Amino acid sequence: MSGWDDLYRIPMLPSWVAGAAAGIVSLHLLQKLLFPYFWDDLKYLLKVLMYGLRVEMYRLQGKIVTVLDKFVKLAEKQPHKPFLIYEGKVHTYQDVDRRSNRIAQVFLHHGALKKGDTVALLMGNEPDFIHVWFGLAKLGCVVAFLNFNVRSRSLLHCVSSCEPKILVVGADLLGTLEEILPSLQKDVSVWIMTKDSSFPSVHTLLDKIESASEDPVPVNHRSANNLKSSVLYIFTSGTTGLPKAAVISHIQVLKGAAGLWAFGATAEDIIYITLPLYHSAASLLGIGGCVELGATCVLKKKFSASQFWSDCKKHNVTVIQYIGELCRYLCSQPLKEGEKNHKVRLAVGNGVRNDVWREFLDRFGAVKICEFYGATEGNICFMNHTGKIGSVGRTNFFYKLFFPFDLIKYDFQKDEPIRNKHGWCEKVKKGEAGLLISKVNEKNPFFGYAGNKRHTEKKLLCEVFKKGDLYFNTGDLMVQDHENFLYFWDRIGDTFRWKGENVATTEVSDVIVMLDFIQEANVYGVSVPDHEGKAGMASLILKQSTSLDLEQMYKQVVTYLPSYACPLFLRVQEKMEMTGTFKQQKFRLVDEGFNPSTITDPLYFLDSSKKAYVLLTKEVHEMILSGKIKL
């Protein structure tokens, strides 16, 4: 029997092995319980560090490698790989490189441009936007992206604020050019993307591109001496007034271009861009991100909810970009069979509501929503790398070491940060809304706005927690929960967000008070159920012995304002309420909204189908709330 016992004896493991295994399991369970996002945070932080180290290594070696340098290298390395797909036509890396060379040659020989000159670009989404951008960048020019929705006085302001030598206009925006041409500064040379022109003293570009050389211009034209030097101006409405030209440096472009990579996109991905290229999300994160990855971009002239998923299926799209409104539009489309039959795996963007986020996932399948936060001109960025619904990102001890920020108490009545008796700002507790501020230092600089030192200084907070410190004021209220997730709460100051764009209330009111029957206009944003952001509303005081001319009002706002900035609602009051500091009182007006059942003042609604302001009745109000009237 002892022989059988010897044959079947199972060797016993040392007791320390079982103890170690139990310890590892316990630690794992403890980590899952107390630090559930530890590995996600570590992976994301390592990616951020890797990218930073790579840029720093280049700097220490005396190399300044820009996004444009990376593109030129890719055109050599993978010349025949599609870079852009637009309206069925494929533009390879080599194609884009060669056409941008032609444009650089044209402006080098005909435009008398030199390194450091500014060129303003007024074009819609089309391949030539990128060709002109890259071509001018090859000459070392700073390119100012103009918002094609901005018209007339605001557009003239944008052009003059960036002081360009040349203005390049797309063929489909000649009507906009015609409006501003008589008032445009005489020292700005205008070029249009056509072969012939009916405008006096306006140069044509298309004919000259066709006859230009494809040879690259000397590399010393584009070589950057410093990653902090300016390369773009991107316009933002900021918190007040007319649009401001945010100064974008090489380092900001590099950081923006790394966004898709940080979220897990690869060179094999196909990215679908429907957002306007003048916007930093489409240009830096989208086009720059494609260059960073060496990937392919499907570019759309204009977003179409009805064509969105068919485009994605047709081109095997794997990554999409969004703003909150875009996701809502997609969810509002009629249900179709096979809506989950696509290859989209990542959706990168910002501003999507919790309910729309959930509905989007339920309806369109296992798409990872990669929400992020970042102002165009800001020096702070958050990325929701865990997919937590509603959050714009996460923070932790290590992240704050590299990107120091705080949420501080804010006085909504005085419209300024609260300071204690010693004059210092105070941090909010977790779970409370506070103003997001980020420290300005050598590693996280704020480059400000072109042509306006006062606007740059207004975005900075001094002596916040101690003498000599300096912080960038984002103008955004955020909440940090007990798990260190961050949530966008609201905008402060004289601005609100509608249709994915910031609307400056002062710009809208300035346009309205130009009418001879308006004494005063108080513009603010009101919430509309099931809509992202806030719709514009204007409270009006009429001049004595005048009446409201709705026809003139409609004509005025649609002529001088972008469509997203036109007030959807009007309220006529007899007296304008003011705060104790003689500012227009908005809080009560915002709370009261646009409900004719509770507001006795006359109310009007901008009915786009009738192209007119109409009386806002209870019936119209109900149709707006039910979605029968589209906003």
Side-chain angles (χ1 to χ4, degrees), residues 317-449:
V317 169
T318 54
V319 179
I320 61 173
Q321 279 193 279
Y322 71 87
I323 53 171
E325 282 292 295
L326 188 149
C327 295
R328 185 177 68 81
Y329 292 149
L330 293 176
C331 290
S332 299
Q333 286 292 295
L335 285 165
K336 290 181 183 175
E337 275 190 44
E339 287 186 326
K340 294 181 181 179
N341 297 336
H342 57 76
K343 295 183 179 178
V344 176
R345 63 186 189 88
L346 297 177
V348 182
N350 53 41
V352 63
R353 286 201 327 256
N354 292 11
D355 57 331
V356 175
W357 191 325
R358 289 188 176 91
E359 185 181 352
F360 187 91
L361 295 177
D362 288 343
R363 182 164 168 183
F364 301 114
V367 179
K368 184 181 178 184
I369 304 284
C370 303
E371 181 86 358
F372 71 90
Y373 168 86
T376 300
E377 72 275 41
N379 65 341
I380 188 75
C381 174
F382 301 117
M383 301 177 82
N384 183 349
H385 52 275
T386 65
K388 175 83 176 256
I389 291 177
S391 170
V392 298
R394 262 180 69 74
T395 184
N396 54 51
F397 172 78
F398 297 105
Y399 191 80
K400 286 194 79 168
L401 277 180
F402 294 106
F403 307 102
F405 73 91
D406 281 290
L407 303 180
I408 59 173
K409 293 179 180 179
Y410 193 79
D411 188 321
F412 296 98
Q413 296 294 330
K414 292 182 180 177
D415 205 18
E416 63 184 24
I418 294 172
R419 291 184 181 263
N420 61 25
K421 62 182 180 181
H422 305 293
W424 307 124
C425 294
E426 295 185 335
K427 300 174 186 180
V428 298
K429 296 175 183 175
K430 286 187 177 181
E432 293 179 353
L435 176 65
L436 173 65
I437 59 172
S438 56
K439 196 164 191 177
V440 176
N441 53 30
E442 183 67 24
K443 294 290 182 188
N444 300 291
F446 168 57
F447 295 96
Y449 306 100

Side-chain angles (χ1 to χ4, degrees), residues 73-220:
K73 281 274 191 293
L74 284 166
E76 295 170 1
K77 182 182 172 185
Q78 50 184 42
H80 304 300
K81 180 171 181 174
F83 177 53
L84 297 173
I85 299 172
Y86 179 78
E87 294 184 349
K89 185 178 178 183
V90 174
H91 303 258
T92 66
Y93 275 80
Q94 185 180 75
D95 293 336
V96 174
D97 185 42
R98 287 179 175 177
R99 188 164 175 85
S100 61
N101 284 344
R102 286 175 181 265
I103 290 167
Q105 293 283 4
V106 170
F107 284 118
L108 184 64
H109 295 106
H110 297 277
L113 288 174
K114 63 181 186 299
K115 193 173 183 176
D117 285 342
T118 299
V119 177
L121 181 57
L122 180 65
M123 292 181 74
N125 280 20
E126 57 177 292
D128 273 340
F129 181 109
I130 295 149
H131 296 142
V132 174
W133 167 19
F134 285 12
L136 291 166
K138 286 177 177 181
L139 295 177
C141 292
V142 179
V143 184
F145 295 163
L146 298 175
N147 180 339
F148 54 74
N149 292 298
V150 172
R151 307 272 295 278
S152 192
R153 186 177 70 102
S154 295
L155 183 56
L156 281 168
H157 162 80
C158 292
V159 174
S160 63
S161 66
C162 62
E163 300 179 338
K165 282 193 72 173
I166 287 176
L167 168 64
V168 181
V169 182
D172 56 344
L173 290 164
L174 298 184
T176 303
L177 173 64
E178 191 173 8
E179 290 176 3
I180 65 166
L181 201 54
S183 307
L184 199 63
Q185 303 101 298
K186 301 304 175 207
D187 58 343
V188 178
S189 175
V190 180
W191 291 67
I192 57 177
M193 194 59 75
T194 60
K195 290 184 179 180
D196 47 70
S197 169
S198 58
F199 299 111
S201 306
V202 170
H203 306 276
T204 54
L205 187 52
L206 215 52
D207 53 324
K208 296 175 182 66
I209 292 171
E210 289 180 1
S211 59
S213 167
E214 288 182 347
D215 294 339
V217 295
V219 73
N220 64 297

